[in-house]
Amino acid sequence: MSENISAEEMEEIREGFQKVDLDGNGYICASELSELFREVGCPLPGYQIRELLQRLDRNKDSHINLDEFTAIFKEMKDDRMAQGFRKALNKKEGIVAIGGTSEISSTGTQHSISEQERFAFANYINSSLEKDPDCKHVLPINPSTGALFKALADGIVLCKLINLSVPDTIDERTINKKKLTAFTTQENLNLALNSASAIGCQVVNIGAQDLKEGKPHLVLGLLWQIIKIGLFADIELSRNEAIAALLEEGESLEELMKLSPEELLLRWANFHLKKVGMTISNFSGDIKDSKAYFHLLQQIAPDGSKEDVPPVEIDMTGLYEKDLTMRADCMLKQADRLKCRQFVTASDVVCGNAKLNMAFVATLFNKHPALTKPENQDWNLESETREERTFRNWMNSLGVSPHVHHIYGDLQDAMVILQLYERIKVPVDWDNRVNHPPFKAIGGGHLKKIENCNYAVELGKNKAGFSLVGIGGQDLYDGNATLTLAVVWQLMRRYTLNVLEDLGHGEVAGDDLIVSWVNKTLAEAGKSSSIKSFKDKSIGTSLPVLELIDAIQPQSVNFELVKQGSLLDEDKLSNAKYAVSMARKIGAKVYALPEDLVEVNPKMVMTIFACLMGRGMKRA
């Protein structure tokens, strides 16, 4: 689909898609199209919306998916209807459109850059990192200029932001902070990009050079992904049991767990708004008049019932202000009293910037959820395991659609698994064998989903050559944890080995080949480590990994920071954190976590050595 579309354009298209896809389900429907045209001041009658949807909807499922959306952009030049769509999209952004600078885009493609986002993200970074001494050289960032892009160019602020969203992702000892050269800056940007990928950001189309040059649409896209992961971290039932208060009549806990953070935020806002007889269905058009926000603030403000939390009385007089911008400003002054004035300006509220308003609501939720876990309920909620998190982040980093929040619920229709087959070069018959969402038949179209799951297992056995003994499509549909993870692991393993085979001119890569390459590389560099297999106990110290990194990029590892001899568990963990960050810093896209090294988890250990082998082969 992406022939003749540059990486920059693809990023712009993905951004545009997300702007129209208000509920974040991976598809654009008629109501979202209608909302887009209404918001930009040129509402279309229903029949024209339906005509446009039919014209753009290639596979006739009454929805536009990302591939169809991309096709619209490719045909832009000579299609009047599609051009009208593009115009509406550009207008929605409140945007500066600038001519691109790459060779392909200098022919006059325009990149939509949201000034609103630049302003919001600069302010967020200023307030979040103001006390960090390592960022003093670029903070505070002037949000009204392009200073944001320059501030991120050396990679330090990006690394700090990643740790803010997912603490401990990057070992601070690996960030180059003083007297930066072009090479040490490149290392920081590698570290940031590979770490962003490891926490589930899609960075397929972004390189260190793009960040160094400050390409606005790519930088803003990456920033939003990083910030969103941090904002949404606790909007999840296993990390915040009070969310169970949002259960609706007749709904099971499993169903609630399947909701995305965006859906949960909307559910949360409506839970409070219903007390005053209001509901909203989005964070764009429905909040423009600030009425919902005023009432939400009033409902969640501390009432003095909690110790050490003084009550805050929300001043509702601003609600009667006729001018919408002034009303929004009054509302934000009240949000400030709750220490939540973040991400939106009054004009962002009035324009209905869905992305920034969602970030604002997430901030309200994180600071003042005002929820009480239902009593007399004894739930045994299991948190996501490390392995599940690693797999989920790997899938999301490859840009699957929809985004995977809850591994078993989101793989139930097999659409994500089928996209992963494509990523490992196994052809998928999308036209004849795959049932596409929305699944609207009786019972949520479960038979169609099971057919997809059966096809996913069939592809694994017959086309990919996976070992799937005793695994059926029903197991994927039922969310059987062990069997689902067995399929995902084989996909991840094949993906990792494919990268090696591409570099090794088609030589079939396997465990033995990787182990022998590791030992040969260590011996040739005069290192003392060696490994017998991916279960070798010595891997628990991380020394073989660190010595291999130093063999691939000599003098990169500071061995004074490495604990040696007889090691306590915390020493092993310290070494492992250093090793994982160092691997990412020299350019290896490692998804595994430090604990995988300490515990010598053979599956994840294999991926670490395979990624390092890939990096080493690029050097050769």
Side-chain angles (χ1 to χ4, degrees), residues 140 223 462:
L223 271 182
N462 302 340

Side-chain angles (χ1 to χ4, degrees), residues 484-587:
T484 301
L485 293 181
V487 174
V488 176
W489 160 242
Q490 292 191 64
L491 284 160
M492 185 178 185
R493 184 176 189 277
R494 178 66 55 82
Y495 179 82
T496 307
L497 295 178
N498 276 358
V499 173
L500 288 185
E501 284 167 20
D502 290 347
L503 289 166
H505 309 297
E507 185 182 2
V508 177
D511 291 9
D512 294 344
L513 180 78
I514 299 168
V515 170
S516 69
W517 181 87
V518 167
N519 289 331
K520 179 168 167 275
T521 307
L522 285 166
E524 283 173 0
K527 304 291 185 188
S528 56
S529 298
S530 66
I531 58 169
K532 295 183 189 68
S533 71
F534 300 132
K535 295 177 181 169
D536 197 308
K537 291 258 188 315
S538 69
I539 293 166
T541 67
S542 295
L543 266 175
V545 179
L546 285 160
E547 291 203 324
L548 181 62
I549 290 167
D550 204 63
I552 293 167
Q553 192 167 303
Q555 274 86 53
S556 59
V557 174
N558 178 357
F559 283 97
E560 286 175 13
L561 300 174
V562 181
K563 312 273 198 312
Q564 307 209 28
S566 121
L567 300 180
L568 298 169
D569 282 351
E570 61 254 40
D571 296 333
K572 289 181 179 177
L573 188 59
S574 168
N575 282 356
K577 285 179 176 175
Y578 185 54
V580 167
S581 283
M582 279 307 303
R584 292 172 182 157
K585 181 177 174 176
I586 68 161

Side-chain angles (χ1 to χ4, degrees), residues 90-107:
N90 274 347
K91 216 168 169 189
K92 177 177 168 65
E93 300 218 25
I95 21 181
V96 192
I98 57 164
T101 48
S102 74
E103 280 178 52
I104 295 175
S105 61
S106 60
T107 53

Side-chain angles (χ1 to χ4, degrees), residues 130 340 602:
E130 65 183 345
C340 291

Side-chain angles (χ1 to χ4, degrees), residues 28-37 46 49-50 53 62-64:
I28 294 170
C29 61
S31 64
E32 287 168 330
L33 264 187
S34 174
E35 176 71 11
L36 167 69
F37 282 96
I49 291 288
R50 286 191 294 278
L53 190 64
S62 304
H63 280 64
I64 301 173

